[in-house]
Amino acid sequence: MYLEHFGLTKPPFKITPVTDFFFPGANRAEILDALLYAITDSEGIIKVTGEVGSGKTMLCRMLLERHPEKVETVYLANPSLTREEMLYAIADGLNLNLEGQRVNIILQTLQNHLELKLAEGKRVVILVDEAHAMPLETMEELRLLYNLQVGNHKLLHIVLFGQPELNEKLSQPNMRQLKDRIVHHFAMLPLSQNIIETYLQFRMRTAGYRGPPPFSSTAAALIGKASQGLMRRVNILADKAMLAAFIENTYNIEVRHVQAAIRDSELTPPAQAWWRRKNIAIAGISILSAATIIAGAGWLLGSMHASKPGEAEAKLLITSAPHITPADVTAVATEGAPMPSPPAATRIANDGHEVKLLIPPAPQTPPPAATQASLLEQRLAAAQAILPKSSKGSASIQLYYTDNVTPARIEGFLKRADKLGALQEIYVLSVKINGRKGFRVLYGIYSSGEKARSGMRQLPQRFLDAFAPTIYLLQNSPVS
């Protein structure tokens, strides 16, 4: 619909994997090169895991397209097969007509064919997409096929693509023989916030766009936060934001277009971003929804005090639409007054056109004793002491990062973490975010990204509710 408006030759943000749009950034090209090497010269089963929409199927299709001539591939797109159905599917992929044959005949024919391919100097590789959905007995049959060999040469090589649930399935006791044969594991991590804008521009250029960057930096940042770095979500939000800009007859995609895309996609941006903009008109928000949602976001935001005694006013400008979803809420602080803590909201006044949340000032917290280091100083020191000693490949769970360096705000979060018994697992890094001083807040130290991902499921529920945790690799982490 908007192709001609933006001067595009094809849709830039289709969610169907198209290899022309393979993004080489965020280590995707390096993973592809490693996979090409592994299926050409290495032994053992290969495993690639990542969240839904992280780009696994695209990577699988790139292997199908770029594999060397001496490699012959069989692609299993539907892993929900019985043992016999999988054998038929592999035979079909090798152009062997074995329909109606008994299992022992299929196995013998497959072995004879694979020995012939080996004699011709070729490798046969099975690519299993969505492998986490494969039944256990089918996985076991796959392992038995992998055991086929002549001399020291394996006749079959296997690459498993799956969601993190694949790791759980392989951790079951009856899967230990298959797990022991996995010699290469690649994790598809979400796109980091600072690469989202590059990704959007890459897709646009590939689709034929030749103008200046259409997505503003703030719009790209909001897409990154709302999508949590997952490519499929990024594509959905970018596509809908472009449609919103097209309807407005503008070539610049701004925050308001992304907000419309988020509402339409039923994706809610992280709560800590809700309070950063001032004086934004909100289409159709009910008084009850505003009070409920703002109060619920308070645990994350922490303690912020009114600039003067008495009740501070948080103004929400209202239009006529009757319904709203949580993603529509953007709280706006009165000019000249910082936003007070949402949980303190006790009364709501409505004059017909403007809703005012009347909020008493939060109680003052006594400052810590001069001789005792603050919690923030303690957790900064803990990061200084531990992170430089982290082994190669070690990882942590990033809860959030912020360019709001108000110590009282971080202290409030750390005090709540202490009440949860989680303070000793918190590490705070002082970092630069878009050229500004900021904090990166991490949870736990793990020996690998896979163990960090497992640890993510053990996070305190409050952290899971308040943040969008991601895996953070530590080996290149600057500590300042």
Side-chain angles (χ1 to χ4, degrees):
M1 183 180 294
Y2 55 69
L3 295 187
E4 185 176 351
H5 178 77
F6 286 98
L8 303 172
T9 57
K10 48 191 170 184
F13 296 110
K14 292 182 68 174
I15 61 174
T16 303
V18 178
T19 55
D20 289 346
F21 288 93
F22 175 72
F23 180 60
N27 291 329
R28 265 51 178 182
E30 289 82 356
I31 292 176
L32 177 60
D33 289 342
L35 284 172
L36 288 170
Y37 164 77
I39 67 173
T40 305
D41 298 302
S42 182
E43 295 288 345
I45 297 174
I46 305 162
K47 174 164 64 80
V48 181
T49 58
E51 290 289 350
V52 176
S54 59
K56 301 183 299 297
T57 299
M58 173 71 88
L59 196 62
C60 184
R61 292 190 181 279
M62 292 299 294
L63 276 181
L64 289 169
E65 186 174 287
R66 294 191 182 179
H67 64 78
E69 287 187 6
K70 69 174 185 177
V71 174
E72 189 170 324
T73 58
V74 176
Y75 176 50
L76 298 182
N78 176 19
S80 302
L81 302 171
T82 65
R83 172 175 176 260
E84 290 78 10
E85 288 170 338
M86 184 192 68
L87 293 175
Y88 281 122
I90 293 173
D92 287 343
L94 296 172
N95 297 317
L96 299 174
N97 185 9
L98 298 176
E99 185 176 353
Q101 297 291 339
R102 298 192 308 275
V103 170
N104 63 324
I105 299 297
I106 297 174
L107 289 172
Q108 187 59 57
T109 305
L110 281 176
Q111 180 162 355
N112 294 340
H113 183 80
L114 294 172
E115 290 177 0
L116 179 61
K117 291 295 180 183
L118 179 64
E120 294 174 352
K122 290 191 174 184
R123 280 189 162 214
V124 176
V125 180
I126 298 178
L127 307 177
V128 184
D129 206 357
E130 305 293 335
H132 58 275
M134 180 171 279
L136 294 181
E137 59 273 15
T138 308
M139 276 192 170
E140 176 62 13
E141 184 64 35
L142 202 58
R143 180 188 70 82
L144 295 174
L145 286 175
Y146 175 76
N147 287 342
L148 296 177
Q149 64 184 66
V150 172
N152 295 325
H153 299 285
K154 292 288 185 182
L155 297 179
L156 200 61
H157 303 271
I158 299 168
V159 184
L160 304 174
F161 295 85
Q163 296 172 21
E165 291 85 348
L166 176 60
N167 296 323
E168 299 175 9
K169 182 171 285 190
L170 291 172
S171 295
Q172 297 181 33
N174 56 341
M175 287 287 102
R176 64 185 183 278
Q177 294 188 67
L178 175 59
K179 185 177 181 179
D180 287 346
R181 286 161 173 77
I182 296 174
V183 297
H184 299 289
H185 174 212
F186 303 95
M188 301 285 288
L189 298 179
L191 299 179
S192 61
Q193 184 69 38
N194 60 0
I195 209 169
I196 294 292
E197 195 167 354
T198 302
Y199 173 75
L200 295 172
Q201 185 69 356
F202 166 80
R203 301 280 299 208
M204 291 291 290
R205 294 296 184 198
T206 305
Y209 182 75
R210 295 296 176 264
F215 290 87
S216 69
S217 295
T218 51
L222 183 54
I223 288 176
K225 291 175 182 178
S227 67
Q228 300 179 24
L230 297 174
M231 285 182 168
R232 186 178 301 159
R233 285 187 166 196
V234 171
N235 291 352
I236 290 171
L237 292 177
D239 178 74
K240 292 179 181 292
M242 291 185 71
L243 181 59
F246 165 70
I247 292 172
E248 267 191 24
N249 196 28
T250 180
Y251 300 99
N252 301 316
I253 301 165
E254 304 292 348
V255 167
R256 65 182 182 276
H257 303 124
V258 179
Q259 289 172 332
I262 292 171
R263 288 193 296 271
D264 190 62
S265 305
E266 297 183 354
L267 297 176
T268 304
Q272 63 264 35
W274 290 3
W275 306 92
R276 292 182 181 174
R277 289 180 58 84
K278 296 181 179 181
N279 304 327
I280 301 176
I282 303 175
I285 182 167
S286 71
I287 298 173
L288 180 59
S289 294
T292 302
I293 297 163
I294 292 173
W299 188 86
L300 166 64
L301 293 173
S303 298
M304 294 181 283
H305 303 297
S307 60
K308 59 184 179 180
E311 293 177 328
E313 294 181 356
K315 296 183 179 180
L316 301 178
L317 306 182
I318 307 303
T319 58
S320 59
H323 300 294
I324 199 69
T325 67
D328 294 303
V329 177
T330 306
V332 185
T334 309
E335 283 292 334
M339 190 67 180
S341 176
T346 57
R347 293 189 289 124
I348 298 175
N350 179 20
D351 62 8
H353 298 286
E354 183 177 46
V355 171
K356 299 177 181 179
L357 304 184
L358 305 179
I359 306 171
Q364 297 293 325
T365 303
T371 57
Q372 182 179 358
S374 68
L375 295 180
L376 174 58
E377 291 169 337
Q378 292 177 31
R379 302 327 298 163
L380 284 167
Q384 288 271 7
I386 292 181
L387 297 188
K389 302 176 183 178
S390 301
S391 61
K392 184 177 181 181
S394 60
S396 182
I397 300 171
Q398 177 175 289
L399 297 179
Y400 71 98
Y401 63 88
T402 178
D403 57 7
N404 185 336
V405 294
T406 307
R409 182 175 182 179
I410 302 294
E411 282 288 315
F413 161 75
L414 293 174
K415 287 177 182 177
R416 290 186 292 278
D418 193 20
K419 290 180 180 179
L420 291 175
L423 181 63
Q424 296 307 310
E425 294 295 327
I426 302 294
Y427 299 91
V428 181
L429 295 179
S430 180
V431 297
K432 290 286 187 180
I433 300 174
N434 296 325
R436 299 175 59 184
K437 184 178 179 182
F439 291 126
R440 189 184 303 278
V441 181
L442 307 177
Y443 182 95
I445 306 296
Y446 301 86
S447 60
S448 67
E450 183 175 348
K451 290 185 178 179
R453 188 176 298 280
S454 297
M456 196 181 295
R457 293 189 288 272
Q458 307 302 319
L459 283 173
Q461 189 60 44
R462 284 224 174 168
F463 290 172
L464 293 172
D465 293 340
F467 306 110
T470 58
I471 304 302
Y472 184 76
L473 300 180
L474 297 174
Q475 61 192 71
N476 297 318
S477 299
V479 180
S480 60

